[in-house]
Amino acid sequence: EVYRARDTILGRDVAIKVLPEAFARDAERMARFEREAKVLASLNHPNIASIYGVEISDNSRALIMELVEGPTLAERIAAGPIPIDDALRIAKQICDGLEYAHEHSVVHRDLKPANVKVTSDDVVKILDFGLAKAIEGDAWSMDIGNSPTLTHMATQAGVLLGTASYMSPEQAKAKPVDRRADIWAFGCVLYEMLTGKMAFHGETTSDTLAAVIRAEPDWSLLPKDTPSRIRVLLQRCLQKDVKQRLRDVGEARITINEVISGAPAAAGKPEPSASGALEAMSPRAAAPVSAPLWRRALPWAIGAIAGASIAGMLVWKLAVPAPAPIKLVRFEVAVPAKTALAVSNAFALSPDGRQLAFVGIGSDGVQRVWIRALDSFDARPLPGTESTIAAELLFWSPDSRRIAFTAHGKLEAIDLASGATQTLYDSPEAGAVAGGSWNRDGVIIFSEGGRIMRVPASGGAASPLTSANSSMEDIFPFFLPDGIHFIYLRASTSKPGDNGIYVGSVGAQPGKQDSKRLLATGADALYAPSSDPNVGQLLYLTGDGTLMAQPFDARRLKLTGDAVPVAQQVGTFSSVYALFSASANGVLAYRSGIGGLAQLTWFDGQGKALSTAGNVDLYEQPALSPDGSKTVVALADTQSESSALWLFDFSRKTSTRFTFGSAEVEYPIWSPDGQRVIFASNPNGEQDLYQKAANGASGEELLLKSNEPKFPTDVSRDGRLLLYTATNSKTHYDIWVLPLQGDRKPFLFLRTISNEVDGHFSPDGRWVAYGSDESGLYEIYVRPFSPDPTAENVSGAGAKWQVSEGGGREPRWSADGTKLYYLTSDWKLMEVDVTTSPTFQAGTPKLLFQAPPQPSPTTGDYTIDGKKFLFLAPQQQTGHVPFDVVLNWQAALRQQQ
């Protein structure tokens, strides 16, 4: 039973498919319903109606599905045959949807015109995968009596079973079926579109099934101008012997594409004539007609003369054999046993396509670079690449002999032959490098602090290629073949509409790069060479996880053709790092799943995991309530590239969405009384400051709007003052104070030429702990605080104390103000004894435990009492998902472009 309904939360119309009550009482059907809902949810394709969720209420089960407007194909056919050109365009989209489902091990088993809709934009949507089964699932046999489309009336004489006309012969005989049953049904649908008549029908269900098993369609009903290749395709789809039937619906798609585009038949396969095609489909060839002797002898004479010529041609052909067609090869590379990929899922193919490098965590818990030769079964870790930082880059030298990676806060390279490592660049930010590339002229480019930087491959000082900008990041650069130009991803926090792939040059001055955008996308891209030295493929990811390839002229820096899909359900890390890599010689590797997954986890003071909360998801920045009973956490949405806040109640074990809309909402903090949550959001472009009642009883209230991005960090214990970090084009990050009462006019607390971030009030309100990179490395400092706006510390002069040693970030006070906690760059949790009266004093930092790597630089609140600590524990769910490797992937691409 299907209903139209309104989703009032997301503001959209949906279709609700409810399992009838009689089925709901059947435990086997209920289990099957839920199992098949999961199968349908795994399909994500523009020609397949999407499933949004499953609703469970008492004994009722319902699928919440995409509402597809427009008539069904059955309704269109009821008005008469569909013109050939329109029918082929529809058939091609049906093939696309079925091919995707088959590649993901799903068979529809109930394809018919009533289960196909055509929208007003001529987009085909295949509906109702309710009979779908995973090909690789448990062994089963099809029982006609279990078809959901079969009602109790179907057993009555004279009532036609709706799906019988489209059942394959093996279905009609109740035998096991596979994807070729869908190919049969597709043939029936295409025949019906062209003729307006069912390929098989009868007065009763039994008559219809008998026609399916024994009869032939009436081929004379096909329009006279039906292309002969389509006639042959129909005959191959409707072969009753499943072994003789077309084996792959992708072949049908290729044939239809060729007919639509007017492409000639493949070489060596002459275009069949219409009469020849009909004769081939006829159950019996017509009897030969006698002809005069001279007329019968003439072809033999001509054949003898031509034979001599052909023989000579054959000798030449045999002497110069034709090259074998390039074949596409797919296989999987498993992650080694007892090994998980690092949080970022970083990996890269060598330029020669022979080796795969990835960042893995072994059984000893240490993160290293691993390498796996594609002609070997074993992967091995590379000594000297150990690090506890989740690397977001891994790239090769152009000769495939060295690998660049991040470790120990440095950009390093390892020589595979000697095992020697070399420091290429040493910087406080090197541990957070986002992408890099290496050209043949010995130049390396990478992203640091939101800028594209260059450094010699021999190591040394780095210089910027793009300018720092507080409202955007330039990340994931990739060299083009000339070694001068490169592409990179620009991600803007203030203007998401500017996100996309841009072109830069190593010869341009900072701030003077070509700002031309190639395409709009939210994830990184790379260039793959082809047989044409000037035109290769730009590979990039769409929001739904589809890997696309688009011809790109690397000489003119211009896209030159249409994009076509290469792979589906390709994963990402933090929604911007796409999990795919391509070599220079036609090898492609990618992974499904999403990197950056984590779970809220409580730890004790020794680092022992105590308990978890919520599901595994893309969480960031958890903020503990003052009593520690709740947390608000930012949850990323990979489809919309935005995030919302969710509220977790630890005692009730519940989670509820706290903010709504399409804006990016992040950096939550609590008011001291636990009544409000303050956060940053960008509904109007820039990140502004908002607050909302913690019980959700009121809407979002704007606290501060200004022209620069900003985010809150702490509220004084009396609830009167808010500390926040704001950006400045000259001084970068500064710390400001916003009065939460009165005129709410902000005033500056600390501004220097260095970055000051993450300010936190001491419990008595007299001190502020913060992070600064004034020494070249982020350290934790404490300064006295005055609520007097005239006491702003513009120059940074005045009393201050350094608390951390060897780097630190994320300072947090204990509730009684006697301790300060902070994290090192490699995620060690440190504790410092402090006194705040009559003056400030700090003891020696001591290690508590190794905290798990966090998915974002700003961790959020992680303790209230110093006894329990809340962190996001990375989940290596994708660790056991293999790498998908495709050899000669552009061979298949040429068939689509």
Side-chain angles (χ1 to χ4, degrees):
E1 301 169 355
V2 183
Y3 299 85
R4 183 189 186 112
R6 182 70 176 172
D7 184 339
T8 57
I9 295 178
L10 298 180
R12 63 183 176 186
D13 289 338
V14 298
I16 299 181
K17 184 176 180 180
V18 181
L19 194 66
E21 183 178 354
F23 286 0
R25 292 193 296 266
D26 185 330
E28 182 180 350
R29 287 184 187 274
M30 292 294 283
R32 181 179 173 193
F33 178 83
E34 294 175 3
R35 181 171 64 250
E36 291 168 358
K38 292 179 180 178
V39 171
L40 181 55
S42 71
L43 302 180
N44 185 0
H45 191 274
N47 296 125
I48 298 176
S50 300
I51 177 173
Y52 296 146
V54 176
E55 290 290 335
I56 302 175
S57 176
D58 297 326
N59 290 326
S60 299
R61 299 291 191 278
L63 290 177
I64 311 302
M65 303 184 69
E66 174 186 4
L67 179 66
V68 183
E69 303 283 5
T72 66
L73 194 52
E75 292 169 336
R76 288 193 58 171
I77 294 173
I82 298 176
I84 292 176
D85 289 346
D86 292 343
L88 292 183
R89 281 192 288 269
I90 293 171
K92 189 262 183 187
Q93 294 185 65
I94 295 175
C95 288
D96 284 341
L98 286 178
E99 186 177 19
Y100 173 85
H102 291 175
E103 287 178 349
H104 289 76
S105 301
V106 176
V107 181
H108 191 293
R109 293 201 305 147
D110 197 24
L111 182 67
K112 56 187 177 183
N115 278 342
V116 177
K117 278 200 169 190
V118 184
T119 71
S120 58
D121 297 326
D122 290 328
V123 175
V124 169
K125 292 281 188 177
I126 304 175
L127 313 176
D128 196 4
F129 272 77
L131 290 179
K133 284 283 187 181
I135 295 174
E136 303 297 338
D138 296 335
W140 54 276
S141 62
M142 213 295 294
D143 182 353
I144 296 176
N146 284 337
S147 170
T149 57
L150 174 64
T151 69
H152 69 282
M153 294 184 63
T155 60
Q156 299 176 9
V159 178
L160 181 65
L161 175 64
T163 55
S165 294
Y166 310 94
M167 281 186 177
S168 64
E170 59 269 27
Q171 278 179 290
K173 297 175 181 178
K175 293 183 177 180
V177 302
D178 58 18
R179 66 188 68 190
R180 288 170 291 183
D182 282 353
I183 293 174
W184 171 280
F186 167 77
C188 293
V189 171
L190 178 55
Y191 177 96
E192 192 168 340
M193 282 195 288
L194 295 174
T195 65
K197 304 291 184 181
M198 291 182 179
F200 306 97
H201 60 90
E203 294 183 357
T204 66
T205 300
S206 299
D207 292 338
T208 301
L209 294 178
V212 167
I213 296 172
R214 292 190 291 270
E216 285 286 326
D218 188 348
W219 300 111
S220 66
L221 294 179
L222 288 170
K224 293 182 179 180
D225 56 346
T226 301
S228 55
R229 275 184 283 183
I230 298 301
R231 294 176 183 268
V232 174
L233 173 64
L234 283 168
Q235 186 246 355
R236 293 192 65 195
C237 289
L238 296 176
Q239 285 285 341
K240 298 186 186 300
D241 183 352
V242 68
K243 295 182 180 179
Q244 302 301 318
R245 194 178 306 155
L246 188 74
R247 302 187 64 83
D248 193 331
V249 74
E251 297 179 32
R253 172 185 55 76
I254 293 171
T255 297
I256 293 171
N257 267 339
E258 290 175 345
V259 172
I260 291 175
S261 65
K269 294 183 179 180
E271 182 83 8
S273 65
S275 60
L278 283 174
E279 180 177 314
M281 288 185 281
S282 173
R284 195 166 40 185
V289 180
S290 178
L293 179 62
W294 67 269
R295 184 171 294 175
R296 281 179 277 158
L298 183 60
W300 292 97
I302 295 174
I305 297 171
S309 300
I310 293 173
M313 293 175 64
L314 285 176
V315 170
W316 178 79
K317 282 285 188 180
L318 290 173
V320 185
I326 298 176
K327 294 184 178 181
L328 182 144
V329 178
R330 298 177 184 269
F331 59 93
E332 293 181 348
V333 172
V335 176
K338 298 182 181 180
T339 304
L341 291 193
V343 176
S344 66
N345 283 261
F347 67 93
L349 281 166
S350 60
D352 62 11
R354 295 174 178 271
Q355 301 177 90
L356 177 70
F358 59 91
V359 182
I361 302 174
S363 56
D364 59 359
V366 177
Q367 176 174 289
R368 298 179 179 87
V369 176
W370 290 62
I371 191 169
R372 156 78 186 265
L374 295 185
D375 61 356
S376 170
F377 289 107
D378 299 319
R380 60 185 176 90
L382 299 179
T385 62
E386 295 82 2
S387 176
T388 55
I389 296 177
E392 290 189 35
L393 90 164
L394 193 69
F395 58 93
W396 292 75
S397 63
D399 59 7
S400 301
R401 295 178 178 178
R402 291 196 288 170
I403 302 173
F405 62 98
T406 52
H408 319 298
K410 302 174 184 178
L411 175 60
E412 300 188 345
I414 183 169
D415 186 287
L416 297 183
S418 66
T421 60
Q422 176 191 6
T423 297
L424 303 177
Y425 177 57
D426 190 352
S427 167
E429 296 293 331
V433 171
S437 188
W438 193 328
N439 73 7
R440 294 187 179 278
D441 297 324
V443 176
I444 287 176
I445 54 177
F446 60 95
S447 174
E448 177 196 42
R451 298 179 299 174
I452 306 299
M453 310 286 289
R454 66 173 289 172
V455 68
S458 58
S463 57
L465 293 175
T466 63
S467 299
N469 191 311
S470 60
S471 63
M472 67 178 60
E473 289 187 319
D474 294 336
I475 52 180
F476 298 115
F478 190 90
F479 269 120
L480 294 174
D482 63 6
I484 298 173
H485 294 91
F486 57 89
I487 57 175
Y488 62 97
L489 172 66
R490 172 162 290 173
S492 175
T493 57
S494 61
K495 297 180 179 179
D498 291 343
N499 291 352
I501 301 301
Y502 289 75
V503 176
S505 169
V506 294
Q509 295 297 319
K512 297 182 180 180
Q513 289 285 351
D514 183 359
S515 59
K516 173 185 176 183
R517 185 172 69 172
L518 292 178
L519 56 88
T521 182
D524 66 312
L526 59 81
Y527 174 87
S530 67
S531 56
D532 186 330
N534 296 318
V535 180
Q537 298 291 333
L538 196 67
L539 288 167
Y540 65 94
L541 206 61
T542 63
D544 64 355
T546 300
L547 180 59
M548 305 294 291
Q550 188 166 0
F552 178 72
D553 189 324
R555 182 178 55 184
R556 296 187 296 158
L557 306 177
K558 182 179 179 180
L559 293 166
T560 61
D562 295 330
V564 297
V566 174
Q568 304 285 346
Q569 294 184 321
V570 177
T572 61
F573 168 65
S574 295
S575 77
V576 294
Y577 174 41
L579 304 183
F580 70 88
S581 178
S583 72
N585 61 346
V587 182
L588 172 69
Y590 62 92
R591 298 186 77 244
S592 60
I594 300 175
L597 294 170
Q599 186 165 39
L600 290 162
T601 305
W602 284 105
F603 296 86
D604 65 14
Q606 288 73 47
K608 179 183 178 181
L610 300 175
S611 61
T612 61
N615 298 319
V616 174
D617 219 319
L618 294 170
Y619 301 121
E620 292 183 343
Q621 307 146 5
L624 280 167
S625 62
D627 62 1
S629 66
K630 303 178 182 68
T631 188
V632 173
V633 63
L635 179 57
D637 184 339
T638 58
Q639 299 299 320
S640 65
E641 298 178 12
S642 64
S643 64
L645 300 185
W646 284 71
L647 178 66
F648 286 82
D649 188 316
F650 297 122
S651 59
R652 296 174 56 203
K653 297 182 179 181
T654 60
S655 62
T656 56
R657 184 164 178 166
F658 186 69
T659 62
F660 300 90
S662 59
E664 184 85 9
V665 184
E666 51 190 354
Y667 303 111
I669 62 173
W670 290 78
S671 63
D673 59 6
Q675 299 300 306
R676 293 166 294 146
V677 176
I678 300 170
F679 51 89
S681 181
N682 63 347
N684 301 310
E686 294 290 356
Q687 282 182 318
D688 292 319
L689 303 182
Y690 292 80
Q691 70 176 359
K692 182 177 180 179
N695 60 9
S698 63
E700 299 173 4
E701 176 190 356
L702 178 64
L703 291 177
L704 177 63
K705 180 176 177 60
S706 60
N707 294 327
E708 71 281 340
K710 54 204 153 296
F711 50 92
T713 59
D714 196 23
V715 180
S716 60
R717 296 303 183 266
D718 58 11
R720 296 175 57 243
L721 300 173
L722 168 70
L723 282 176
Y724 68 94
T725 300
T727 57
N728 180 282
S729 59
K730 295 182 179 180
T731 59
H732 307 306
Y733 291 115
D734 306 317
I735 298 177
W736 288 74
V737 183
L738 176 67
L740 296 177
Q741 300 171 358
D743 60 5
R744 291 183 179 173
K745 183 179 180 179
F747 60 91
L748 187 62
F749 169 67
L750 183 59
R751 170 182 286 170
T752 73
I753 60 173
S754 303
N755 289 298
E756 294 85 32
V757 297
D758 207 14
H760 281 260
F761 287 112
S762 62
D764 60 11
R766 298 176 56 205
W767 312 91
V768 170
Y770 64 96
S772 173
D773 64 353
E774 63 182 75
S775 68
L777 187 69
Y778 268 102
E779 300 281 5
I780 303 302
Y781 299 88
V782 171
R783 285 181 180 268
F785 175 79
S786 171
D788 181 2
T790 63
E792 60 188 33
N793 196 335
V794 176
S795 67
K800 69 176 179 182
W801 292 262
Q802 180 175 329
V803 175
S804 60
E805 296 177 356
R809 57 186 178 183
E810 318 278 351
R812 300 294 184 267
W813 297 86
S814 63
D816 60 6
T818 63
K819 297 181 186 298
L820 260 176
Y821 301 94
Y822 67 89
L823 292 162
T824 64
S825 61
D826 56 357
W827 306 106
K828 290 183 173 67
L829 178 61
M830 310 299 290
E831 180 185 73
V832 184
D833 292 325
V834 298
T835 58
T836 58
S837 180
T839 186
F840 179 82
Q841 290 183 320
T844 302
K846 64 178 182 179
L847 172 66
L848 287 185
F849 61 88
Q850 175 68 59
Q854 298 299 283
S856 63
T858 301
T859 301
D861 294 328
Y862 49 81
T863 189
I864 297 297
D865 56 11
K867 298 178 181 178
K868 291 175 58 180
F869 299 85
L870 181 69
F871 286 105
L872 291 170
Q875 300 298 302
Q876 308 299 338
Q877 284 189 306
T878 57
H880 298 291
V881 177
F883 296 94
D884 289 293
V885 180
V886 187
L887 307 183
N888 305 318
W889 62 273
Q890 294 193 51
L893 197 66
R894 287 190 288 271
Q895 297 176 354
Q896 303 181 63
Q897 293 179 327

